Amino acid sequence: MKKIILNNGVEMPIVGLGSYKATNPEETKEAILYALECGYRMIDTAAYYRNEELIGEAIRESGIPREEIFVTSKVWVDAIEKGKVRESFEASLKRLDIGYIDLFLLHWPVNREANIKAWKVLEEIYKEGKVRAIGLSNYKEKHINELLEEAEIKPALDQVELHPDFTQNEIYEFCKEKGIQLGAWSPLGGQKPNSGSLFKDPTLLKLAEKYGKSVAQIIIRWDVQRGIVVIPKSVHKERIKANIEVFDFELSGEDMELISSLNENNRIDQDPDNFMNYWNSKPEEGKNYTV
Ligand SMILES: NC(=O)c1ccc[n+]([C@@H]2O[C@H](COP(=O)([O-])OP(=O)(O)OC[C@H]3O[C@@H](n4cnc5c(N)ncnc54)[C@H](OP(=O)(O)O)[C@@H]3O)[C@@H](O)[C@H]2O)c1
């Protein structure tokens, strides 16, 4: 498995397993165990996904030494808003029960003051050695710039929505310039009702045929060659296995550009600028993800 090196020297596998909406206990544990068997060494979770216990259990059961597996988790916006980042981190750590978390992220930007306050807590946790790296998710350039004004430790990574029809060129260039690793979520177009169109895209289908690979493999390889950490989610064995088989071929420069040219700024999820409005407009019931 190819690895990238974060700005604090920590190594991170470039392809990992996403786990959003993987909550069925048997299916999820089986998926994680199978992924580890196939060679995955990075798993993406979050307090919000409500599956940290299952992931921790699968990791412990796998028998693979803890230090060989890279686990990312994230603190949800309610904890950031309420100033409960430390409590939420401790709760994630307890649920995972794997000793430490490799990478801990602020899940979405909330507001300048809350973001900075939350970042200061992540810095403390990092200094205490409870996480190997700290970073962000869904932060745009302006959010990162605001944070950098006050930060002592530079974020290691920013995980954002990114797929061939939403290539995120601005944040890609910005992160490169700042020495912050970019990560792609919903790399295959996600799990929304309007997802799935990339699998029918004629250009991607043609490339899949040309390289003798699936559309998913073409997309994941495109991320890898752009140097982006990518976390496709699946709970199906054949897909889990195939999604990591992307290191035995190389897309030509021309084909890389062709894929990037599919960009239509087609965001499928919330714009981070509107996220808190969206979140606050949802009914209160079942919204507490803090602990
Ligand atoms: N930081 C954030 O705010 C944020 C937001 C969203 C997601 N994420 C993270 O990013 C991960 C990936 O994003 P995502 O789950 O939204 O979407 P995704 O990985 O782009 O797509 C997952 C969907 O594609 C299907 N799929 C997977 N491999 C396939 C293949 N080879 N062929 C056909 N279909 C395939 C999956 O179905 P099956 O599972 O049924 O196989 C699932 O429905 C998440 O799981 C989560 O860990 C982070």
Side-chain angles (χ1 to χ4, degrees), residues 17-21 44-45 49 74 76 105 107-108 137-138 159-160 184-191 199 214 216-217 231-236 238-240 242-243 268-269:
L17 187 73
S19 73
Y20 180 41
K21 293 193 178 166
D44 183 81
T45 183
Y49 305 167
K74 319 180 189 85
W76 190 243
L105 311 177
H107 208 142
W108 289 86
S137 177
N138 299 303
Q159 187 189 100
V160 300
W185 60 257
S186 290
L188 306 177
Q191 303 186 64
F199 294 108
S214 68
Q217 288 168 324
I231 44 169
K233 176 261 176 186
S234 180
V235 288
H236 290 101
E238 67 288 359
R239 292 175 175 173
I240 291 173
N243 288 351
I268 49 173
D269 213 313

Side-chain angles (χ1 to χ4, degrees), residues 20-244:
Y20 180 41
K21 293 193 178 166
T23 48
N24 175 294
E26 267 174 39
E27 186 182 61
T28 303
K29 263 183 77 177
E30 210 178 308
I32 305 291
L33 280 164
Y34 184 67
L36 292 170
E37 202 182 307
C38 291
Y40 283 79
R41 287 295 179 269
M42 189 252 287
I43 297 164
D44 183 81
T45 183
Y48 184 71
Y49 305 167
R50 299 203 191 272
N51 60 13
E52 291 169 304
E53 282 106 334
L54 295 171
I55 289 170
E57 264 177 53
I59 290 173
R60 292 194 305 277
E61 266 177 42
S62 75
I64 297 169
R66 168 67 187 92
E67 60 277 14
E68 287 181 23
I69 303 174
F70 191 105
V71 177
T72 304
S73 194
K74 319 180 189 85
V75 51
W76 190 243
V77 295
D78 62 346
I80 298 172
E81 246 186 335
K82 293 177 198 157
K84 299 238 184 240
V85 174
R86 161 77 62 171
E87 290 86 337
S88 182
F89 170 77
E90 297 293 347
S92 282
L93 197 59
K94 195 167 165 202
R95 282 190 294 261
L96 279 160
D97 193 15
I98 48 171
Y100 59 90
I101 293 173
D102 292 276
L103 176 64
F104 197 63
L105 311 177
L106 302 181
H107 208 142
W108 289 86
V110 170
N111 62 57
R112 185 182 189 277
E113 201 190 337
N115 298 342
I116 291 168
K117 215 171 138 200
W119 186 251
K120 294 279 160 204
V121 178
L122 260 57
E123 290 183 333
E124 279 169 22
I125 293 167
Y126 176 73
K127 286 183 199 163
E128 290 161 15
K130 291 177 171 170
V131 285
R132 296 173 69 224
I134 50 175
L136 309 168
S137 177
N138 299 303
Y139 271 55
K140 290 182 161 185
E141 295 91 307
K142 65 168 183 194
H143 303 120
I144 299 180
N145 278 329
E146 280 174 3
L147 204 75
L148 288 176
E149 278 172 22
E150 307 289 332
E152 202 185 311
I153 299 169
K154 197 199 273 191
L157 178 144
D158 188 21
Q159 187 189 100
V160 300
E161 180 182 339
L162 192 157
H163 31 85
D165 53 351
F166 188 50
T167 53
Q168 292 268 33
N169 296 335
E170 282 166 26
I171 192 85
Y172 176 80
E173 292 301 335
F174 176 87
C175 281
K176 219 187 223 179
E177 185 203 311
K178 297 282 180 199
I180 297 170
Q181 174 64 43
L182 195 63
W185 60 257
S186 290
L188 306 177
Q191 303 186 64
K192 295 266 167 198
N194 57 343
S195 295
S197 58
L198 290 172
F199 294 108
K200 294 181 226 133
D201 182 273
T203 304
L204 293 172
L205 282 166
K206 241 186 233 165
L207 288 172
E209 202 185 332
K210 176 175 167 182
Y211 288 91
K213 289 282 174 182
S214 68
V215 165
Q217 288 168 324
I218 295 289
I219 296 173
I220 296 163
R221 180 70 205 184
W222 168 74
D223 283 305
V224 167
Q225 285 186 218
R226 288 179 92 200
I228 296 172
V229 165
V230 55
I231 44 169
K233 176 261 176 186
S234 180
V235 288
H236 290 101
K237 284 192 169 176
E238 67 288 359
R239 292 175 175 173
I240 291 173
K241 184 168 187 295
N243 288 351
I244 205 177

